């Protein structure tokens, strides 16, 4: 009569004796797919937070850790940028920059005028017999590849503004 009951494997006996649903971790260890998570049957890890009897899955903790690391990296980058802005503002006073820019422009205009005078002197000495016109500021600036707006030169008026 004992032969009428089929022989149960040790795995089947354990499951039938306990009659409790298996956790995802236990199913992974046994190799049985989880019908509730189709992505896992394809080898994808579950990223959802599962709280079964106070137990949090390792996948959920790992996802939370990655999320917090990303937030930390984003916050660190933002802090770095804010520190750079603060340093730039304290180091470079805008009023001082404007003042220095004006000084640079004035000196540049003086240098161009002096260079023009020397060019005219050299040009007139070497071309007296040919009757050619003298060098202009526009020609000097073009030769040096200097933008007219940068040095504030007006080619129409042929003067600095």
């Amino acid at each position: 009569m004992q032969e009428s009951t089929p022989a149960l494997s040790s795995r089947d006996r354990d499951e039938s004796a306990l009659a409790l649903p298996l956790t995802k971790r236990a199913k992974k260890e046994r190799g049985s797919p989880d019908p509730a998570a189709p992505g896992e049957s394809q080898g994808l890890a579950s990223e959802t937070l599962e709280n079964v009897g106070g137990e949090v899955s390792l996948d959920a903790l790992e996802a939370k850790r990655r999320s917090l690391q990303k937030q930390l990296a984003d916050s660190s980058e933002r802090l770095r940028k804010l520190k750079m802005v603060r340093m730039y503002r304290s180091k470079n006073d805008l009023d001082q920059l404007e003042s220095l820019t004006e000084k640079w422009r004035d000196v540049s205009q003086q240098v161009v005028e002096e260079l023009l005078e020397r060019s005219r002197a050299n040009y007139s000495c070497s071309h007296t017999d040919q009757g050619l016109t003298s060098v202009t500021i526009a020609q000097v600036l073009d030769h040096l590849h200097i933008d007219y707006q940068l040095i504030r030169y007006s080619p129409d008026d042929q003067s600095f503004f």
Side-chain angles (χ1 to χ4, degrees), residues 109-160:
Q109 290 172 354
Q110 291 172 3
V111 167
V112 168
E113 288 175 343
E114 185 176 329
L115 185 60
L116 179 66
E117 288 175 19
R118 290 184 183 189
S119 296
R120 284 182 177 160
N122 289 340
Y123 187 80
S124 64
C125 290
S126 63
H127 295 91
T128 53
D129 298 335
Q130 297 175 3
L132 298 174
T133 59
S134 65
V135 179
T136 64
I137 292 178
Q139 290 172 331
V140 172
L141 294 176
D142 289 339
H143 180 72
L144 296 174
H145 303 287
I146 297 174
D147 184 22
Y148 295 160
Q149 293 298 320
L150 183 65
I151 202 165
R152 291 194 177 163
Y153 175 73
S154 173
D156 299 330
D157 298 339
Q158 296 183 356
S159 64
F160 295 107

Short mmCIF file of all heavy atoms in Angstrom, two decimals, residues 109-160:
data_model
loop_
_atom_site.label_atom_id
_atom_site.label_comp_id
_atom_site.label_asym_id
_atom_site.label_seq_id
_atom_site.Cartn_x
_atom_site.Cartn_y
_atom_site.Cartn_z
N GLN A 109 45.05 102.14 -29.18
CA GLN A 109 44.83 103.20 -30.16
C GLN A 109 46.09 104.06 -30.32
O GLN A 109 46.47 104.43 -31.43
CB GLN A 109 43.64 104.07 -29.75
CG GLN A 109 42.31 103.35 -29.88
CD GLN A 109 41.15 104.13 -29.28
OE1 GLN A 109 41.34 105.18 -28.64
NE2 GLN A 109 39.93 103.61 -29.46
N GLN A 110 46.76 104.36 -29.18
CA GLN A 110 48.00 105.14 -29.24
C GLN A 110 49.08 104.39 -30.01
O GLN A 110 49.82 104.99 -30.81
CB GLN A 110 48.48 105.48 -27.83
CG GLN A 110 47.61 106.46 -27.10
CD GLN A 110 48.02 106.61 -25.63
OE1 GLN A 110 49.00 106.02 -25.18
NE2 GLN A 110 47.25 107.40 -24.89
N VAL A 111 49.17 103.09 -29.79
CA VAL A 111 50.18 102.29 -30.47
C VAL A 111 49.91 102.26 -31.97
O VAL A 111 50.84 102.38 -32.78
CB VAL A 111 50.24 100.86 -29.88
CG1 VAL A 111 51.04 99.91 -30.77
CG2 VAL A 111 50.79 100.87 -28.48
N VAL A 112 48.64 102.13 -32.36
CA VAL A 112 48.30 102.11 -33.79
C VAL A 112 48.66 103.46 -34.43
O VAL A 112 49.21 103.51 -35.53
CB VAL A 112 46.81 101.76 -34.00
CG1 VAL A 112 46.37 102.03 -35.44
CG2 VAL A 112 46.56 100.31 -33.63
N GLU A 113 48.36 104.56 -33.73
CA GLU A 113 48.69 105.88 -34.27
C GLU A 113 50.21 106.05 -34.41
O GLU A 113 50.70 106.58 -35.41
CB GLU A 113 48.09 106.98 -33.40
CG GLU A 113 46.58 107.08 -33.55
CD GLU A 113 45.95 108.08 -32.61
OE1 GLU A 113 46.61 108.49 -31.61
OE2 GLU A 113 44.79 108.46 -32.85
N GLU A 114 50.96 105.59 -33.41
CA GLU A 114 52.41 105.69 -33.49
C GLU A 114 52.96 104.81 -34.61
O GLU A 114 53.86 105.22 -35.36
CB GLU A 114 53.04 105.28 -32.14
CG GLU A 114 54.54 105.48 -32.10
CD GLU A 114 55.13 105.18 -30.74
OE1 GLU A 114 54.44 105.39 -29.72
OE2 GLU A 114 56.28 104.71 -30.70
N LEU A 115 52.40 103.62 -34.73
CA LEU A 115 52.81 102.72 -35.81
C LEU A 115 52.49 103.33 -37.17
O LEU A 115 53.28 103.23 -38.11
CB LEU A 115 52.12 101.37 -35.65
CG LEU A 115 52.50 100.26 -36.61
CD1 LEU A 115 53.99 99.95 -36.50
CD2 LEU A 115 51.68 99.02 -36.32
N LEU A 116 51.35 104.02 -37.26
CA LEU A 116 50.97 104.68 -38.50
C LEU A 116 51.97 105.78 -38.86
O LEU A 116 52.39 105.89 -40.02
CB LEU A 116 49.56 105.26 -38.38
CG LEU A 116 49.02 106.01 -39.58
CD1 LEU A 116 48.83 105.07 -40.76
CD2 LEU A 116 47.71 106.68 -39.22
N GLU A 117 52.36 106.58 -37.86
CA GLU A 117 53.33 107.65 -38.11
C GLU A 117 54.66 107.08 -38.60
O GLU A 117 55.26 107.59 -39.57
CB GLU A 117 53.56 108.47 -36.84
CG GLU A 117 52.39 109.36 -36.47
CD GLU A 117 52.61 110.07 -35.14
OE1 GLU A 117 53.80 110.17 -34.70
OE2 GLU A 117 51.61 110.51 -34.55
N ARG A 118 55.13 106.02 -37.96
CA ARG A 118 56.39 105.41 -38.39
C ARG A 118 56.26 104.78 -39.77
O ARG A 118 57.20 104.85 -40.58
CB ARG A 118 56.84 104.37 -37.37
CG ARG A 118 57.30 104.98 -36.08
CD ARG A 118 57.83 103.96 -35.13
NE ARG A 118 58.20 104.58 -33.88
CZ ARG A 118 58.85 103.96 -32.93
NH1 ARG A 118 59.21 102.71 -33.07
NH2 ARG A 118 59.14 104.60 -31.81
N SER A 119 55.11 104.19 -40.05
CA SER A 119 54.90 103.59 -41.38
C SER A 119 54.87 104.65 -42.45
O SER A 119 55.43 104.46 -43.53
CB SER A 119 53.58 102.81 -41.41
OG SER A 119 53.60 101.74 -40.53
N ARG A 120 54.22 105.77 -42.13
CA ARG A 120 54.17 106.88 -43.10
C ARG A 120 55.58 107.42 -43.36
O ARG A 120 55.94 107.74 -44.49
CB ARG A 120 53.26 107.99 -42.61
CG ARG A 120 51.80 107.65 -42.76
CD ARG A 120 50.93 108.79 -42.30
NE ARG A 120 49.52 108.46 -42.51
CZ ARG A 120 48.53 109.06 -41.90
NH1 ARG A 120 48.79 110.03 -41.03
NH2 ARG A 120 47.29 108.71 -42.15
N ALA A 121 56.37 107.54 -42.31
CA ALA A 121 57.73 108.05 -42.47
C ALA A 121 58.56 107.10 -43.33
O ALA A 121 59.26 107.53 -44.25
CB ALA A 121 58.39 108.24 -41.11
N ASN A 122 58.48 105.81 -43.06
CA ASN A 122 59.21 104.82 -43.85
C ASN A 122 58.67 104.75 -45.28
O ASN A 122 59.43 104.62 -46.23
CB ASN A 122 59.15 103.44 -43.21
CG ASN A 122 59.97 103.34 -41.96
OD1 ASN A 122 60.87 104.15 -41.74
ND2 ASN A 122 59.65 102.37 -41.12
N TYR A 123 57.36 104.83 -45.41
CA TYR A 123 56.74 104.73 -46.73
C TYR A 123 57.08 105.94 -47.59
O TYR A 123 57.38 105.79 -48.77
CB TYR A 123 55.22 104.58 -46.56
CG TYR A 123 54.48 104.30 -47.85
CD1 TYR A 123 54.45 103.02 -48.38
CD2 TYR A 123 53.83 105.32 -48.52
CE1 TYR A 123 53.77 102.76 -49.55
CE2 TYR A 123 53.15 105.06 -49.70
CZ TYR A 123 53.12 103.78 -50.21
OH TYR A 123 52.45 103.51 -51.37
N SER A 124 57.04 107.12 -46.99
CA SER A 124 57.31 108.34 -47.76
C SER A 124 58.77 108.42 -48.17
O SER A 124 59.11 108.94 -49.23
CB SER A 124 56.89 109.58 -46.99
OG SER A 124 57.67 109.71 -45.82
N CYS A 125 59.68 107.90 -47.32
CA CYS A 125 61.10 107.91 -47.66
C CYS A 125 61.40 106.98 -48.83
O CYS A 125 62.19 107.30 -49.71
CB CYS A 125 61.95 107.50 -46.47
SG CYS A 125 61.97 108.71 -45.16
N SER A 126 60.76 105.83 -48.84
CA SER A 126 61.07 104.85 -49.88
C SER A 126 60.26 105.03 -51.15
O SER A 126 60.64 104.50 -52.18
CB SER A 126 60.87 103.43 -49.33
OG SER A 126 59.52 103.25 -48.99
N HIS A 127 59.16 105.79 -51.11
CA HIS A 127 58.31 105.94 -52.29
C HIS A 127 58.08 107.40 -52.70
O HIS A 127 57.03 107.76 -53.19
CB HIS A 127 56.94 105.28 -52.02
CG HIS A 127 57.02 103.81 -51.81
ND1 HIS A 127 57.19 103.26 -50.57
CD2 HIS A 127 56.98 102.77 -52.69
CE1 HIS A 127 57.22 101.94 -50.68
NE2 HIS A 127 57.09 101.62 -51.97
N THR A 128 59.04 108.23 -52.54
CA THR A 128 58.87 109.65 -52.86
C THR A 128 58.75 109.88 -54.36
O THR A 128 57.98 110.72 -54.79
CB THR A 128 60.05 110.48 -52.32
OG1 THR A 128 61.26 109.91 -52.78
CG2 THR A 128 60.02 110.55 -50.82
N ASP A 129 59.44 109.11 -55.13
CA ASP A 129 59.43 109.34 -56.58
C ASP A 129 58.22 108.71 -57.26
O ASP A 129 57.90 109.07 -58.39
CB ASP A 129 60.70 108.78 -57.22
CG ASP A 129 61.94 109.47 -56.69
OD1 ASP A 129 61.80 110.63 -56.22
OD2 ASP A 129 63.02 108.87 -56.72
N GLN A 130 57.53 107.77 -56.60
CA GLN A 130 56.47 107.03 -57.27
C GLN A 130 55.10 107.72 -57.15
O GLN A 130 54.18 107.34 -57.82
CB GLN A 130 56.38 105.62 -56.72
CG GLN A 130 57.67 104.83 -57.00
CD GLN A 130 57.64 103.47 -56.35
OE1 GLN A 130 56.66 103.09 -55.75
NE2 GLN A 130 58.73 102.73 -56.48
N GLY A 131 54.92 108.66 -56.28
CA GLY A 131 53.67 109.39 -56.14
C GLY A 131 52.54 108.58 -55.53
O GLY A 131 51.38 108.83 -55.81
N LEU A 132 52.83 107.58 -54.72
CA LEU A 132 51.80 106.74 -54.10
C LEU A 132 51.24 107.44 -52.86
O LEU A 132 51.89 108.26 -52.25
CB LEU A 132 52.38 105.38 -53.72
CG LEU A 132 52.90 104.54 -54.89
CD1 LEU A 132 53.57 103.30 -54.38
CD2 LEU A 132 51.76 104.19 -55.84
N THR A 133 50.02 107.09 -52.50
CA THR A 133 49.39 107.68 -51.31
C THR A 133 49.99 107.10 -50.05
O THR A 133 50.60 106.04 -50.08
CB THR A 133 47.87 107.42 -51.31
OG1 THR A 133 47.66 106.00 -51.32
CG2 THR A 133 47.20 108.07 -52.50
N SER A 134 49.78 107.77 -48.94
CA SER A 134 50.35 107.32 -47.67
C SER A 134 49.48 106.22 -47.05
O SER A 134 48.36 105.97 -47.45
CB SER A 134 50.46 108.50 -46.72
OG SER A 134 49.17 108.98 -46.41
N VAL A 135 50.01 105.58 -46.04
CA VAL A 135 49.36 104.48 -45.33
C VAL A 135 48.24 105.03 -44.45
O VAL A 135 48.41 106.08 -43.82
CB VAL A 135 50.40 103.73 -44.47
CG1 VAL A 135 49.76 102.59 -43.71
CG2 VAL A 135 51.53 103.24 -45.33
N THR A 136 47.12 104.30 -44.36
CA THR A 136 45.99 104.72 -43.51
C THR A 136 45.89 103.81 -42.29
O THR A 136 46.48 102.71 -42.27
CB THR A 136 44.66 104.66 -44.29
OG1 THR A 136 44.41 103.29 -44.63
CG2 THR A 136 44.71 105.51 -45.54
N ILE A 137 45.10 104.25 -41.33
CA ILE A 137 44.89 103.44 -40.12
C ILE A 137 44.21 102.13 -40.49
O ILE A 137 44.55 101.06 -39.96
CB ILE A 137 44.06 104.22 -39.07
CG1 ILE A 137 44.87 105.40 -38.53
CG2 ILE A 137 43.62 103.30 -37.94
CD1 ILE A 137 44.13 106.25 -37.53
N ALA A 138 43.24 102.19 -41.40
CA ALA A 138 42.53 100.98 -41.82
C ALA A 138 43.50 99.97 -42.41
O ALA A 138 43.39 98.76 -42.15
CB ALA A 138 41.44 101.34 -42.83
N GLN A 139 44.47 100.42 -43.20
CA GLN A 139 45.45 99.51 -43.78
C GLN A 139 46.31 98.86 -42.70
O GLN A 139 46.62 97.67 -42.77
CB GLN A 139 46.33 100.25 -44.79
CG GLN A 139 45.61 100.64 -46.06
CD GLN A 139 46.47 101.55 -46.94
OE1 GLN A 139 47.31 102.30 -46.45
NE2 GLN A 139 46.23 101.47 -48.25
N VAL A 140 46.69 99.64 -41.70
CA VAL A 140 47.49 99.11 -40.60
C VAL A 140 46.69 98.06 -39.83
O VAL A 140 47.18 96.96 -39.55
CB VAL A 140 47.97 100.23 -39.65
CG1 VAL A 140 48.63 99.64 -38.41
CG2 VAL A 140 48.92 101.17 -40.37
N LEU A 141 45.44 98.38 -39.50
CA LEU A 141 44.60 97.44 -38.75
C LEU A 141 44.33 96.17 -39.56
O LEU A 141 44.34 95.06 -39.01
CB LEU A 141 43.29 98.10 -38.34
CG LEU A 141 43.42 99.25 -37.33
CD1 LEU A 141 42.06 99.89 -37.06
CD2 LEU A 141 44.04 98.76 -36.03
N ASP A 142 44.07 96.33 -40.86
CA ASP A 142 43.85 95.17 -41.72
C ASP A 142 45.10 94.30 -41.80
O ASP A 142 45.02 93.06 -41.75
CB ASP A 142 43.43 95.60 -43.13
CG ASP A 142 42.02 96.18 -43.17
OD1 ASP A 142 41.23 95.90 -42.24
OD2 ASP A 142 41.71 96.91 -44.14
N HIS A 143 46.24 94.94 -41.92
CA HIS A 143 47.50 94.20 -42.00
C HIS A 143 47.76 93.40 -40.72
O HIS A 143 48.27 92.27 -40.77
CB HIS A 143 48.66 95.16 -42.27
CG HIS A 143 49.99 94.48 -42.36
ND1 HIS A 143 50.34 93.70 -43.43
CD2 HIS A 143 51.03 94.44 -41.49
CE1 HIS A 143 51.56 93.21 -43.22
NE2 HIS A 143 52.00 93.65 -42.05
N LEU A 144 47.38 93.96 -39.58
CA LEU A 144 47.58 93.30 -38.29
C LEU A 144 46.41 92.39 -37.89
O LEU A 144 46.44 91.78 -36.81
CB LEU A 144 47.82 94.34 -37.20
CG LEU A 144 49.09 95.18 -37.36
CD1 LEU A 144 49.14 96.28 -36.31
CD2 LEU A 144 50.32 94.31 -37.29
N HIS A 145 45.38 92.35 -38.73
CA HIS A 145 44.18 91.54 -38.47
C HIS A 145 43.50 91.94 -37.16
O HIS A 145 43.10 91.09 -36.37
CB HIS A 145 44.49 90.05 -38.46
CG HIS A 145 45.14 89.56 -39.71
ND1 HIS A 145 44.47 89.41 -40.90
CD2 HIS A 145 46.43 89.20 -39.97
CE1 HIS A 145 45.28 88.98 -41.83
NE2 HIS A 145 46.49 88.85 -41.30
N ILE A 146 43.35 93.23 -36.96
CA ILE A 146 42.69 93.75 -35.76
C ILE A 146 41.28 94.18 -36.14
O ILE A 146 41.09 94.93 -37.10
CB ILE A 146 43.47 94.94 -35.16
CG1 ILE A 146 44.85 94.47 -34.70
CG2 ILE A 146 42.70 95.55 -33.99
CD1 ILE A 146 45.76 95.58 -34.21
N ASP A 147 40.30 93.69 -35.38
CA ASP A 147 38.90 94.03 -35.63
C ASP A 147 38.67 95.51 -35.29
O ASP A 147 39.08 95.98 -34.24
CB ASP A 147 38.00 93.13 -34.78
CG ASP A 147 36.53 93.35 -35.04
OD1 ASP A 147 36.17 93.85 -36.12
OD2 ASP A 147 35.72 93.00 -34.15
N TYR A 148 37.98 96.21 -36.18
CA TYR A 148 37.72 97.64 -35.97
C TYR A 148 36.91 97.89 -34.69
O TYR A 148 37.17 98.84 -33.96
CB TYR A 148 36.96 98.24 -37.16
CG TYR A 148 37.73 98.26 -38.47
CD1 TYR A 148 37.06 98.39 -39.67
CD2 TYR A 148 39.10 98.18 -38.51
CE1 TYR A 148 37.74 98.42 -40.88
CE2 TYR A 148 39.80 98.20 -39.71
CZ TYR A 148 39.12 98.32 -40.89
OH TYR A 148 39.80 98.37 -42.08
N GLN A 149 35.91 97.04 -34.44
CA GLN A 149 35.07 97.23 -33.26
C GLN A 149 35.84 97.00 -31.96
O GLN A 149 35.59 97.64 -30.95
CB GLN A 149 33.85 96.29 -33.30
CG GLN A 149 32.87 96.61 -34.41
CD GLN A 149 32.29 98.00 -34.23
OE1 GLN A 149 31.98 98.44 -33.14
NE2 GLN A 149 32.14 98.71 -35.36
N LEU A 150 36.78 96.07 -32.01
CA LEU A 150 37.58 95.76 -30.81
C LEU A 150 38.39 96.96 -30.36
O LEU A 150 38.48 97.25 -29.16
CB LEU A 150 38.50 94.56 -31.10
CG LEU A 150 39.35 94.06 -29.96
CD1 LEU A 150 38.47 93.50 -28.85
CD2 LEU A 150 40.32 93.01 -30.45
N ILE A 151 38.93 97.67 -31.31
CA ILE A 151 39.78 98.83 -30.98
C ILE A 151 38.99 100.14 -31.10
O ILE A 151 39.53 101.21 -30.85
CB ILE A 151 41.04 98.83 -31.88
CG1 ILE A 151 42.14 99.64 -31.23
CG2 ILE A 151 40.74 99.27 -33.28
CD1 ILE A 151 43.50 99.40 -31.84
N ARG A 152 37.73 100.02 -31.47
CA ARG A 152 36.81 101.15 -31.65
C ARG A 152 37.31 102.15 -32.70
O ARG A 152 37.53 103.32 -32.41
CB ARG A 152 36.53 101.86 -30.32
CG ARG A 152 35.70 101.00 -29.38
CD ARG A 152 35.16 101.81 -28.26
NE ARG A 152 34.32 100.96 -27.42
CZ ARG A 152 33.96 101.27 -26.21
NH1 ARG A 152 34.35 102.39 -25.66
NH2 ARG A 152 33.19 100.45 -25.53
N TYR A 153 37.43 101.62 -33.90
CA TYR A 153 37.85 102.45 -35.03
C TYR A 153 36.69 102.53 -36.02
O TYR A 153 36.06 101.53 -36.34
CB TYR A 153 39.07 101.86 -35.72
CG TYR A 153 39.48 102.60 -36.97
CD1 TYR A 153 40.08 103.84 -36.89
CD2 TYR A 153 39.24 102.06 -38.23
CE1 TYR A 153 40.45 104.54 -38.04
CE2 TYR A 153 39.61 102.74 -39.38
CZ TYR A 153 40.21 103.98 -39.28
OH TYR A 153 40.56 104.66 -40.41
N SER A 154 36.42 103.72 -36.51
CA SER A 154 35.38 103.94 -37.51
C SER A 154 36.04 104.18 -38.86
O SER A 154 36.66 105.23 -39.08
CB SER A 154 34.52 105.14 -37.13
OG SER A 154 33.63 105.43 -38.18
N PRO A 155 35.89 103.23 -39.82
CA PRO A 155 36.51 103.43 -41.13
C PRO A 155 35.84 104.55 -41.93
O PRO A 155 36.47 105.18 -42.78
CB PRO A 155 36.34 102.07 -41.83
CG PRO A 155 35.27 101.38 -41.08
CD PRO A 155 35.24 101.94 -39.70
N ASP A 156 34.57 104.84 -41.63
CA ASP A 156 33.87 105.93 -42.32
C ASP A 156 34.46 107.29 -41.94
O ASP A 156 34.72 108.14 -42.80
CB ASP A 156 32.37 105.91 -42.01
CG ASP A 156 31.71 104.61 -42.47
OD1 ASP A 156 32.19 104.01 -43.46
OD2 ASP A 156 30.72 104.19 -41.84
N ASP A 157 34.65 107.48 -40.64
CA ASP A 157 35.20 108.76 -40.14
C ASP A 157 36.73 108.74 -40.15
O ASP A 157 37.35 109.80 -39.95
CB ASP A 157 34.74 109.01 -38.70
CG ASP A 157 33.24 109.13 -38.59
OD1 ASP A 157 32.58 109.43 -39.61
OD2 ASP A 157 32.72 108.92 -37.47
N GLN A 158 37.31 107.59 -40.30
CA GLN A 158 38.76 107.40 -40.22
C GLN A 158 39.32 107.93 -38.92
O GLN A 158 40.33 108.64 -38.87
CB GLN A 158 39.47 108.02 -41.42
CG GLN A 158 39.10 107.37 -42.73
CD GLN A 158 39.86 107.95 -43.89
OE1 GLN A 158 40.63 108.90 -43.75
NE2 GLN A 158 39.68 107.38 -45.08
N SER A 159 38.60 107.57 -37.82
CA SER A 159 39.05 108.01 -36.49
C SER A 159 38.59 106.98 -35.45
O SER A 159 37.72 106.15 -35.70
CB SER A 159 38.49 109.37 -36.17
OG SER A 159 37.08 109.30 -36.09
N PHE A 160 39.17 107.11 -34.27
CA PHE A 160 38.77 106.27 -33.15
C PHE A 160 37.59 106.92 -32.44
O PHE A 160 37.46 108.14 -32.41
CB PHE A 160 39.94 106.09 -32.17
CG PHE A 160 41.09 105.33 -32.77
CD1 PHE A 160 42.25 105.98 -33.12
CD2 PHE A 160 41.00 103.96 -32.98
CE1 PHE A 160 43.32 105.29 -33.66
CE2 PHE A 160 42.07 103.27 -33.52
CZ PHE A 160 43.23 103.93 -33.86
#
